[in-house]
PDB file of all heavy atoms in Angstrom:
ATOM      1  N   GLY A 194       6.936  -8.519  10.738  1.00  0.00           N
ATOM      2  CA  GLY A 194       6.627  -9.364  11.885  1.00  0.00           C
ATOM      3  C   GLY A 194       6.673  -8.638  13.210  1.00  0.00           C
ATOM      4  O   GLY A 194       7.278  -7.582  13.365  1.00  0.00           O
ATOM      5  N   CYS A 195       6.011  -9.248  14.215  1.00  0.00           N
ATOM      6  CA  CYS A 195       5.912  -8.690  15.561  1.00  0.00           C
ATOM      7  C   CYS A 195       7.189  -8.885  16.381  1.00  0.00           C
ATOM      8  O   CYS A 195       7.483  -8.247  17.360  1.00  0.00           O
ATOM      9  CB  CYS A 195       4.730  -9.171  16.341  1.00  0.00           C
ATOM     10  SG  CYS A 195       4.916 -10.911  16.776  1.00  0.00           S
ATOM     11  N   GLY A 196       8.043  -9.864  15.925  1.00  0.00           N
ATOM     12  CA  GLY A 196       9.291 -10.153  16.637  1.00  0.00           C
ATOM     13  C   GLY A 196       9.188 -11.250  17.641  1.00  0.00           C
ATOM     14  O   GLY A 196      10.265 -11.709  18.191  1.00  0.00           O
ATOM     15  N   ALA A 197       7.987 -11.734  17.993  1.00  0.00           N
ATOM     16  CA  ALA A 197       7.904 -12.756  18.969  1.00  0.00           C
ATOM     17  C   ALA A 197       8.156 -14.077  18.279  1.00  0.00           C
ATOM     18  O   ALA A 197       7.512 -14.432  17.298  1.00  0.00           O
ATOM     19  CB  ALA A 197       6.474 -12.777  19.616  1.00  0.00           C
ATOM     20  N   ALA A 198       9.175 -14.818  18.774  1.00  0.00           N
ATOM     21  CA  ALA A 198       9.456 -16.145  18.193  1.00  0.00           C
ATOM     22  C   ALA A 198       8.285 -17.084  18.423  1.00  0.00           C
ATOM     23  O   ALA A 198       7.638 -17.119  19.388  1.00  0.00           O
ATOM     24  CB  ALA A 198      10.721 -16.696  18.907  1.00  0.00           C
ATOM     25  N   CYS A 203       2.637 -14.207  12.208  1.00  0.00           N
ATOM     26  CA  CYS A 203       3.730 -13.479  11.501  1.00  0.00           C
ATOM     27  C   CYS A 203       4.590 -14.452  10.721  1.00  0.00           C
ATOM     28  O   CYS A 203       5.328 -14.058   9.851  1.00  0.00           O
ATOM     29  CB  CYS A 203       4.670 -12.783  12.422  1.00  0.00           C
ATOM     30  SG  CYS A 203       3.731 -11.434  13.369  1.00  0.00           S
ATOM     31  N   HIS A 207      10.218 -11.831  10.444  1.00  0.00           N
ATOM     32  CA  HIS A 207      11.406 -11.030  10.866  1.00  0.00           C
ATOM     33  C   HIS A 207      12.608 -11.909  10.897  1.00  0.00           C
ATOM     34  O   HIS A 207      12.513 -13.093  10.980  1.00  0.00           O
ATOM     35  CB  HIS A 207      11.157 -10.435  12.270  1.00  0.00           C
ATOM     36  CG  HIS A 207      10.834 -11.530  13.225  1.00  0.00           C
ATOM     37  ND1 HIS A 207       9.472 -11.829  13.507  1.00  0.00           N
ATOM     38  CD2 HIS A 207      11.547 -12.378  14.006  1.00  0.00           C
ATOM     39  CE1 HIS A 207       9.471 -12.828  14.405  1.00  0.00           C
ATOM     40  NE2 HIS A 207      10.742 -13.187  14.682  1.00  0.00           N
ATOM     41  N   PRO A 210      17.657 -10.819  15.844  1.00  0.00           N
ATOM     42  CA  PRO A 210      17.293 -11.108  17.236  1.00  0.00           C
ATOM     43  C   PRO A 210      15.789 -11.033  17.391  1.00  0.00           C
ATOM     44  O   PRO A 210      15.125 -10.114  16.827  1.00  0.00           O
ATOM     45  CB  PRO A 210      18.022  -9.996  18.009  1.00  0.00           C
ATOM     46  CG  PRO A 210      19.132  -9.507  17.151  1.00  0.00           C
ATOM     47  CD  PRO A 210      18.608  -9.736  15.798  1.00  0.00           C
ATOM     48  N   ALA A 211      15.204 -11.990  18.164  1.00  0.00           N
ATOM     49  CA  ALA A 211      13.779 -11.976  18.319  1.00  0.00           C
ATOM     50  C   ALA A 211      13.390 -12.026  19.802  1.00  0.00           C
ATOM     51  O   ALA A 211      14.252 -12.333  20.631  1.00  0.00           O
ATOM     52  CB  ALA A 211      13.206 -13.213  17.659  1.00  0.00           C
ATOM     53  N   LEU A 212      12.126 -11.700  20.079  1.00  0.00           N
ATOM     54  CA  LEU A 212      11.663 -11.697  21.473  1.00  0.00           C
ATOM     55  C   LEU A 212      11.407 -13.213  21.833  1.00  0.00           C
ATOM     56  O   LEU A 212      11.031 -14.065  20.993  1.00  0.00           O
ATOM     57  CB  LEU A 212      10.330 -10.935  21.566  1.00  0.00           C
ATOM     58  CG  LEU A 212      10.496  -9.479  21.182  1.00  0.00           C
ATOM     59  CD1 LEU A 212       9.090  -8.951  20.767  1.00  0.00           C
ATOM     60  CD2 LEU A 212      11.047  -8.620  22.288  1.00  0.00           C
ATOM     61  N   GLU A 213      11.590 -13.531  23.117  1.00  0.00           N
ATOM     62  CA  GLU A 213      11.328 -14.943  23.577  1.00  0.00           C
ATOM     63  C   GLU A 213       9.829 -15.153  23.645  1.00  0.00           C
ATOM     64  O   GLU A 213       9.027 -14.311  23.969  1.00  0.00           O
ATOM     65  CB  GLU A 213      11.951 -15.094  24.982  1.00  0.00           C
ATOM     66  CG  GLU A 213      13.427 -15.081  24.989  1.00  0.00           C
ATOM     67  CD  GLU A 213      13.986 -15.240  26.462  1.00  0.00           C
ATOM     68  OE1 GLU A 213      13.709 -14.333  27.256  1.00  0.00           O
ATOM     69  OE2 GLU A 213      14.711 -16.226  26.670  1.00  0.00           O
ATOM     70  N   TYR A 285      14.012  -6.150  20.165  1.00  0.00           N
ATOM     71  CA  TYR A 285      13.516  -6.256  18.786  1.00  0.00           C
ATOM     72  C   TYR A 285      13.104  -4.877  18.237  1.00  0.00           C
ATOM     73  O   TYR A 285      12.406  -4.081  18.907  1.00  0.00           O
ATOM     74  CB  TYR A 285      12.301  -7.213  18.765  1.00  0.00           C
ATOM     75  CG  TYR A 285      11.735  -7.337  17.324  1.00  0.00           C
ATOM     76  CD1 TYR A 285      12.421  -7.885  16.308  1.00  0.00           C
ATOM     77  CD2 TYR A 285      10.442  -6.825  17.027  1.00  0.00           C
ATOM     78  CE1 TYR A 285      11.874  -7.979  15.016  1.00  0.00           C
ATOM     79  CE2 TYR A 285       9.903  -6.913  15.767  1.00  0.00           C
ATOM     80  CZ  TYR A 285      10.616  -7.485  14.758  1.00  0.00           C
ATOM     81  OH  TYR A 285      10.093  -7.552  13.499  1.00  0.00           O
ATOM     82  N   PHE A 287      10.927  -2.775  15.871  1.00  0.00           N
ATOM     83  CA  PHE A 287       9.709  -3.000  15.091  1.00  0.00           C
ATOM     84  C   PHE A 287       9.489  -1.704  14.218  1.00  0.00           C
ATOM     85  O   PHE A 287       9.424  -0.600  14.725  1.00  0.00           O
ATOM     86  CB  PHE A 287       8.555  -3.161  16.060  1.00  0.00           C
ATOM     87  CG  PHE A 287       7.161  -3.279  15.389  1.00  0.00           C
ATOM     88  CD1 PHE A 287       6.980  -4.298  14.524  1.00  0.00           C
ATOM     89  CD2 PHE A 287       6.169  -2.347  15.659  1.00  0.00           C
ATOM     90  CE1 PHE A 287       5.692  -4.458  13.896  1.00  0.00           C
ATOM     91  CE2 PHE A 287       4.896  -2.456  15.032  1.00  0.00           C
ATOM     92  CZ  PHE A 287       4.724  -3.518  14.155  1.00  0.00           C
ATOM     93  N   TYR A 320       0.046  -4.266  19.542  1.00  0.00           N
ATOM     94  CA  TYR A 320       0.839  -5.340  20.059  1.00  0.00           C
ATOM     95  C   TYR A 320      -0.083  -6.246  21.023  1.00  0.00           C
ATOM     96  O   TYR A 320      -0.132  -7.477  20.911  1.00  0.00           O
ATOM     97  CB  TYR A 320       2.086  -4.931  20.756  1.00  0.00           C
ATOM     98  CG  TYR A 320       3.362  -5.200  19.974  1.00  0.00           C
ATOM     99  CD1 TYR A 320       4.074  -4.142  19.408  1.00  0.00           C
ATOM    100  CD2 TYR A 320       3.847  -6.449  19.882  1.00  0.00           C
ATOM    101  CE1 TYR A 320       5.232  -4.337  18.630  1.00  0.00           C
ATOM    102  CE2 TYR A 320       5.077  -6.630  19.124  1.00  0.00           C
ATOM    103  CZ  TYR A 320       5.709  -5.632  18.522  1.00  0.00           C
ATOM    104  OH  TYR A 320       6.836  -5.880  17.857  1.00  0.00           O
TER     105      TYR A 320
END
Side-chain angles (χ1 to χ4, degrees):
C195 68
C203 296
H207 54 267
L212 303 159
E213 290 177 299
Y285 178 66
F287 177 61
Y320 254 107

